[in-house]
Amino acid sequence: MAENTSQKQSHQPAPPVPEAWVKTELARHPQRPYPMDYIQALFTDFSEIHGDRQFADDPAMTAGMARFHGQPVMVIANLKGRSVKERVARKFGSPDPEGYRKALRAMKIAEKFNRPIFTFIDCAGANPGLGAEERGQAEAIARNLLEMSRLRVPTIATITGEGGSGGALALAVADRVLMLENAIYSVISPEGCASIMWKDSSRKQDAATALRYTATDVKMLGCVDEVIREPEGGTHNDPALAMSIVDERLANHLDYLQGLSLDDMLAARYNKFRNIAQFYTTA
């Protein structure tokens, strides 16, 4: 009898995978286009800027002048790399403080020459290493949040894969924050959340659902302005189509922002971030 019970239990179907975890795996898909893929596909005449003028150049962050539909712009993104060698060199896409300072330096150049700023984000988080902390990781991120909030040029941020914690937010205090359909945007990874909440990282799927970090959830919370649809099955299934969709949405938002007066644009940016995550309850 015990043997029959054991056999029945072994044939129980596996529980369905939560939708949030399905989205997480798509956001992390190894063939998913990375920020540099978007830069190469959507912009021309990209001329990279190196160094933060304080410590070093960060291979996990890129910034440079480019043209978007013929218009001079500034493009900034974190870099992951495809090969193992590239991934190690770029710290798996997790920038150091000098990366964020380089990004801010590029933003200030764009502001000086009145060029719109585009940022692309696929970052699990900033580098948490000892060296990064010693060189002021938290200060560098905080400085970007402050300075981005008052830049006097249009800013558009696009989360293409993972948007993790302050490492992503340091490039995302923008007039328009766009998010691809299968991207995720969260204060912590599901593995990290599960380790803290339940002392068990294997409960990452439960954490993914609880965090409400899918594009649909984040849009409902008011943390992003638009969810950009993806080709069936994800951007890696049809990169060309994905790029054309993103291109059209970026152009649309840039046209709108450039039609605003500077005062209206800054006021709208301020009000948007002041009102994110405000919840009211009645007794």
Side-chain angles (χ1 to χ4, degrees):
M1 189 71 177
E3 183 179 348
N4 290 338
T5 302
S6 176
Q7 289 177 349
K8 285 183 180 180
Q9 291 176 344
S10 65
H11 287 87
Q12 290 294 321
V17 177
E19 182 183 4
W21 187 251
V22 173
K23 298 281 190 182
T24 303
E25 292 189 321
L26 285 171
R28 295 173 171 176
H29 196 285
Q31 297 307 313
R32 189 175 179 85
Y34 288 157
M36 182 51 79
D37 297 316
Y38 288 93
I39 292 174
Q40 292 173 342
L42 306 181
F43 300 87
T44 59
D45 304 317
F46 179 66
S47 179
E48 189 169 5
I49 295 169
H50 291 279
D52 68 341
R53 295 298 186 266
Q54 293 187 45
F55 179 74
D57 190 40
D58 185 359
M61 186 75 75
T62 189
M65 301 287 197
R67 290 184 179 274
F68 180 67
H69 291 221
Q71 179 178 349
V73 298
M74 179 67 73
V75 188
I76 303 167
N78 73 292
L79 301 178
K80 281 188 167 182
R82 291 287 179 190
S83 67
V84 173
K85 185 176 181 180
E86 269 192 317
R87 287 175 179 269
V88 171
R90 300 192 191 285
K91 294 156 291 191
F92 299 89
S94 296
D96 280 327
E98 47 270 21
Y100 292 109
R101 291 179 181 127
K102 174 169 68 172
L104 181 56
R105 175 177 163 243
M107 292 177 199
K108 287 298 186 179
I109 292 172
E111 185 178 46
K112 178 179 179 179
F113 292 101
N114 196 32
R115 296 192 174 191
I117 298 169
F118 292 90
T119 67
F120 293 87
I121 302 158
D122 188 358
C123 172
N127 183 12
L130 178 61
E133 296 296 339
E134 288 175 339
R135 296 192 302 278
Q137 184 71 286
E139 187 277 337
I141 291 172
R143 178 69 59 183
N144 278 31
L145 305 186
L146 172 65
E147 297 296 341
M148 283 196 78
S149 71
R150 57 193 186 189
L151 286 170
R152 299 172 67 82
V153 292
T155 53
I156 301 175
T158 306
I159 301 162
T160 64
E162 288 187 88
S165 194
L169 192 59
L171 298 179
V173 181
D175 295 303
R176 288 292 181 271
V177 182
L178 314 180
M179 186 172 178
L180 268 66
E181 181 182 357
N182 293 313
I184 58 176
Y185 194 21
S186 175
V187 70
I188 193 171
S189 71
E191 295 86 354
C193 177
S195 296
I196 293 171
M197 293 296 297
W198 300 292
K199 312 299 182 187
D200 182 3
S201 62
S202 68
R203 294 189 62 180
K204 57 191 178 184
Q205 294 187 11
D206 295 329
T209 300
L211 283 167
R212 296 183 64 189
Y213 61 26
T214 66
T216 302
D217 288 329
V218 177
K219 178 67 168 63
M220 288 179 62
L221 291 170
C223 298
V224 299
D225 298 293
E226 181 183 346
V227 175
I228 301 176
R229 69 180 180 88
E230 297 186 21
E232 185 69 28
T235 54
H236 58 283
N237 281 344
D238 193 342
L241 176 58
M243 299 295 174
S244 68
I245 295 171
V246 172
D247 180 71
E248 187 272 332
R249 299 315 302 147
L250 292 180
N252 180 273
H253 284 287
L254 181 60
D255 285 345
Y256 175 81
L257 292 172
Q258 291 185 317
L260 298 176
S261 69
L262 176 60
D263 288 342
D264 287 345
M265 185 183 72
L266 292 175
R269 186 193 304 163
Y270 177 85
N271 290 330
K272 178 176 73 169
F273 283 98
R274 285 288 293 174
N275 287 292
I276 283 177
Q278 290 193 17
F279 296 92
Y280 300 93
T281 58
T282 56

